[in-house]
Structure formats: C-alpha cells, structure tokens
Amino acid sequence: MGSQSEVMHCYEQIAPLTERMLLLARTGQWGGLPALEMQYSETVDRLKLIEPLEELSEAQSARKLQLLVRIKANQDGIHDMVLPQLARLGAILRSLETQQNLHHAYGPTDDANL
C-alpha cells in the first residue's frame, strides 16, 4: 500500500470529526463542540491550501467522494440539531434584554425610600 496523500489524510480526519460533533449534538453535550469545531476548521483550512497542489488518483477521488457524502450527512445532522438550540438561545437573550430594560425603566431607584 502506498503512502496516503496529505489531502486524503485531511478528508480522513474530517469525517470522524463531524461524526463526533454530531454525536455530541445528539446527546446535548454542547460544551464539547467548540474544540472539535476548531479542529475541523483547522483541517479544512489546511485542505484549502494543499488540495489545489495535489492531484488525486481515480481510487483516491472515489474515496474522497465517499468521505464527502459522509461529511455532508454529518454536517446536515449537526445543522439540524444546532439551529433549534441557537433559536432557543436567541429567545432567552431577548427575554433577558427585555427584563433588563424593564428593570432599568421601572426598577427601584435610590429615591424609592422617600
């Protein structure tokens, strides 16, 4: 077996990263996502630099396509899990902002003891 190309190595790293990210999202372990997302982004950034410089064999191109299908499915699953969480977070932030505005407008002041 020949040595694996750096491009393929990147794709082989990205696929399981997205699978772990999806598992964390499914189990509500949101705190673990940022570290994996950072690894994912670093690998994708590296891939953007090296992929144009490397020509893949037919077998590598076929494997790349398999990995891309897997990665895309994982990304779609992550997206479907994260968007509702972001919407809930946005609603909470809006509610807190409203409460803060009401408190500033109608809350107790130093003159309340008069």
Side-chain angles (χ1 to χ4, degrees), residues 10-60:
C10 287
Y11 281 109
E12 294 285 355
Q13 288 180 318
I14 291 169
L17 274 174
T18 60
E19 287 167 359
R20 286 193 304 247
M21 291 167 70
L22 180 56
L23 178 62
L24 289 177
R26 282 184 178 150
T27 58
Q29 299 178 48
W30 304 109
L33 284 174
L36 292 179
E37 199 282 327
M38 184 180 294
Q39 289 178 321
Y40 170 87
S41 293
E42 289 170 355
T43 307
V44 168
D45 289 344
R46 176 72 184 140
L47 189 56
K48 287 177 184 177
L49 292 174
I50 63 172
E51 191 163 25
L53 307 175
E54 188 175 316
E55 191 170 324
L56 300 177
S57 70
E58 190 173 318
Q60 288 172 323

